[in-house]
Amino acid sequence: MFSTQTYINRRNELKKLVGNGVIVLFGNNESPCNYPSNAYYPFRQDSTFLYYFGQQRDGLVGVIDVDNDKEILFGDDIDIDDIVWYGSVDSVADMASQVGVANSLPLKELSTLITPDTTRKIHFLPPYRHDNMIQIMDLMGIHPSKQHEASSIDLIHAVVKMRSTKSDEEIAEIERAIEIGYKMHTTAMRLTRPGVTEKFVGGQVDGIAHSYGAQVSFATIFSQHGEIMHGNPSMNVLESGRLALCDAGAETINHYCSDHTRTYPVNGKFTQRQLDIYRIVEECHDYVLDVAKPGVKYRDVHFAVCRLMTERLKELGLMRGDVDEAVKAGAHAMFLPHGLGHMMGMDVHDMEGLDQINVGFDNDTQPNRDQFGTNALRMGRALEPGFVVTDEPGIYFIPVLIDDWRKRGHCKEFINFDLLETYKDFGGIRVEDDLLITNNGCRFLGKDRIPYHPKDIEDFMNS
């Protein structure tokens, strides 16, 4: 946890932003894996509850009565049977005191404060776990199918405003996650060689995170099929001449995340064709450092990268025609079907549970849901100092997408399908780092840079 004062300050700021009513922040409960007492491990607390109340135990609810300036931590102390199996833990009263909350009550008392007949405004966030949906229905009589629209937009906007801008102590925690992420990725690079399985390398990567007291910030992606965006490790054996893509991150004990991607040759040596594509992705990745700064919309950074990528693909003969017209038509999405990046912090896709339109967009920047590729843009709003976003351009050769577009003649004036046909066995390349927006520009977070320039990769893998 951070200092007691940090949580006090956060809740005080939240009260000011919301203004009135009662704020209810539901913590998470244990989630059974295959029977009730065998829960998924490690337990993961709700991020917004953690942000304001700091405690990682299950079965807690934090209440902030804005009108009466009163805060209560609801939860039940564990009984002797649980102590026998799991050991002693702090009481709910002690946990409340640790984060500067003066009041604590058993969980059953929550129903005396919040009822379906409550006339005061009750602010809650969109729930994403069904047990909390049931709890909201029991307390307020709102059916789960109606809870998303009944959630408080005032609370959502307040939370997004606060969590979007990272404090110095949050940046330090993210950089601790990046230190672990560096060990995860360099371990993967050392282990990658012909004859081992994807699952073996992926398992070692996950083990590095756990061995440093952390957990993975999302399910590790490690695959020779880099054209599959979320290609989790399989039992396939790594083959010489193929590229391996590793997208992995750590989450610290205080639940701040890292997120990096590297792509490298299984045998430690790029072919010329691989280098031709890799250098485009590398250039696009580095170009973001020149473009991203406060006041610039990340949507515009995304399209600046798309134009650069299109220019370079034209030079290889894979694309043709006017660059601006090609990007306007979405032709680049044949190769880059996702957005340039997303917010990152306590969630690897930070606050995505509050609806991406509230997190990555604003009144001046709205998503385009109608164009393939652009509809996957998670972050479009103007950048501000303290934002942490990912920078993750990629080029992918997806056989079924190639076949689909060619059959329909989609963007045929901008894509050389005959040449593209010869790349169906290529896979995909992505290079990703975590970017802090500063007062004057931006910088990559992390003391040590995971090798990503081609020569550095080859030297590292063959050292």
Side-chain angles (χ1 to χ4, degrees):
M1 288 195 298
F2 296 124
S3 69
T4 300
Q5 194 61 46
T6 291
Y7 298 103
I8 292 172
N9 293 344
R10 287 174 176 177
R11 292 192 300 272
N12 285 340
E13 179 65 17
L14 186 64
K15 292 174 199 173
K16 292 177 186 176
L17 291 172
V18 174
N20 60 70
V22 179
I23 299 167
V24 185
L25 298 177
F26 293 89
N28 283 336
N29 301 305
E30 291 280 14
S31 182
C33 176
N34 56 344
Y35 54 89
S37 64
N38 188 28
Y40 284 102
Y41 177 83
F43 169 73
R44 181 53 160 91
Q45 184 61 280
D46 175 76
S47 294
T48 300
F49 180 89
L50 273 174
Y51 187 82
Y52 293 104
F53 285 91
Q55 296 292 353
Q56 300 192 38
R57 211 204 80 178
D58 61 304
L60 300 174
V61 179
V63 170
I64 303 171
D65 185 335
V66 181
D67 302 321
N68 297 303
D69 194 21
K70 184 177 181 180
E71 301 166 348
I72 309 169
L73 183 64
F74 288 87
D76 298 327
D77 291 329
I78 68 170
D79 59 24
I80 190 65
D81 290 333
D82 284 331
I83 292 173
V84 167
W85 288 102
Y86 301 109
S88 297
V89 298
D90 292 334
S91 68
V92 175
D94 286 340
M95 288 191 287
S97 177
Q98 289 162 9
V99 293
V101 174
N103 307 285
S104 64
L105 289 170
L107 195 56
K108 67 180 181 181
E109 297 296 328
L110 185 60
S111 62
T112 66
L113 178 67
I114 300 168
T115 70
D117 301 323
T118 302
T119 56
R120 299 170 65 196
K121 174 65 177 177
I122 305 297
H123 302 273
F124 65 92
L125 298 173
Y128 54 89
R129 289 197 175 187
H130 289 88
D131 48 354
N132 282 337
M133 293 179 187
I134 293 170
Q135 192 172 13
I136 290 171
M137 183 168 65
D138 289 345
L139 289 168
M140 292 177 258
I142 306 171
H143 190 273
S145 65
K146 304 293 184 183
Q147 288 172 12
H148 189 277
E149 62 189 62
S151 62
S152 169
I153 194 65
D154 292 334
L155 179 57
I156 290 170
H157 285 165
V159 170
V160 169
K161 179 179 176 61
M162 292 183 66
R163 286 183 55 190
S164 292
T165 304
K166 307 302 188 289
S167 66
D168 289 344
E169 61 186 352
E170 289 181 286
I171 296 301
E173 194 66 25
I174 291 172
E175 296 212 285
R176 276 189 278 275
I178 289 172
E179 288 179 18
I180 301 169
Y182 174 87
K183 294 179 174 66
M184 294 164 69
H185 277 273
T186 52
T187 295
M189 293 175 75
R190 288 192 179 97
L191 293 174
T192 296
R193 62 185 182 275
V196 302
T197 65
E198 294 175 0
K199 185 71 82 172
F200 176 79
V201 178
Q204 297 297 312
V205 167
D206 291 356
I208 292 292
H210 290 291
S211 70
Y212 283 92
Q215 61 193 69
V216 294
S217 52
F218 57 96
T220 294
I221 297 165
F222 185 86
S223 177
Q224 293 177 110
H225 285 282
E227 78 278 9
I228 301 173
M229 301 298 124
H230 290 170
N232 298 125
S234 73
M235 289 304 294
N236 291 336
V237 174
L238 298 178
E239 300 173 10
S240 183
R242 300 288 298 276
L243 292 169
L245 185 151
C246 182
D247 188 344
E251 182 176 309
T252 68
I253 198 166
N254 287 318
H255 298 288
Y256 283 80
C257 298
S258 71
D259 185 6
H260 296 88
T261 306
R262 294 293 186 265
T263 310
Y264 33 84
V266 168
N267 62 12
K269 181 68 176 177
F270 286 100
T271 67
Q272 187 57 51
R273 188 172 77 147
Q274 290 168 348
L275 271 177
D276 290 341
I277 301 299
Y278 189 97
R279 283 177 174 142
I280 299 174
V281 178
E282 175 193 20
E283 184 180 3
C284 290
H285 168 273
D286 291 353
Y287 181 52
V288 174
L289 289 171
D290 298 327
V291 183
K293 63 184 69 174
V296 174
K297 294 175 181 176
Y298 211 51
R299 178 189 63 189
D300 294 338
V301 181
H302 168 81
F303 283 114
V305 165
C306 293
R307 285 190 291 273
L308 174 60
M309 183 178 293
T310 300
E311 288 173 0
R312 297 295 180 260
L313 288 169
K314 277 185 63 179
E315 292 169 4
L316 288 182
L318 284 163
M319 295 191 72
R320 58 194 174 205
D322 182 81
V323 168
D324 289 335
E325 289 300 316
V327 171
K328 182 178 178 181
H332 63 280
M334 164 60 72
F335 306 94
L336 178 62
H338 60 74
L340 179 63
H342 49 79
M343 287 277 210
M344 200 191 72
M346 297 186 81
D347 308 309
V348 71
H349 288 181
D350 211 20
M351 301 172 283
E352 199 161 294
L354 303 183
D355 197 328
Q356 200 60 47
I357 196 169
N358 296 317
V359 178
F361 297 89
D362 54 26
N363 292 334
D364 297 326
T365 311
Q366 293 295 306
N368 180 352
R369 302 189 189 278
D370 298 325
Q371 187 183 72
F372 177 78
T374 306
N375 61 0
L377 201 62
R378 286 190 170 98
M379 177 65 184
R381 62 189 280 203
L383 299 167
E384 299 178 23
F387 282 14
V388 175
V389 295
T390 61
D391 165 22
E392 49 181 305
I395 292 178
Y396 314 90
F397 297 90
I398 306 169
V400 293
L401 186 64
I402 294 170
D403 290 344
D404 177 68
W405 282 29
R406 184 167 199 167
K407 181 179 179 181
R408 295 191 288 117
H410 183 58
C411 290
K412 62 183 180 181
E413 64 271 40
F414 302 115
I415 296 173
N416 182 349
F417 282 103
D418 287 339
L419 182 57
L420 187 56
E421 192 77 20
T422 68
Y423 280 79
K424 280 185 173 180
D425 63 346
F426 186 94
I429 293 171
R430 181 165 64 253
V431 179
E432 175 185 16
D433 282 298
D434 304 326
L435 197 70
L436 171 67
I437 305 304
T438 63
N439 289 328
N440 301 312
C442 63
R443 69 174 177 89
F444 289 133
L445 288 169
K447 175 173 61 72
D448 297 316
R449 184 72 50 238
I450 305 162
Y452 74 95
H453 298 303
K455 185 177 185 305
D456 294 340
I457 287 173
E458 291 180 347
D459 288 348
F460 186 88
M461 293 184 73
N462 292 292
S463 63

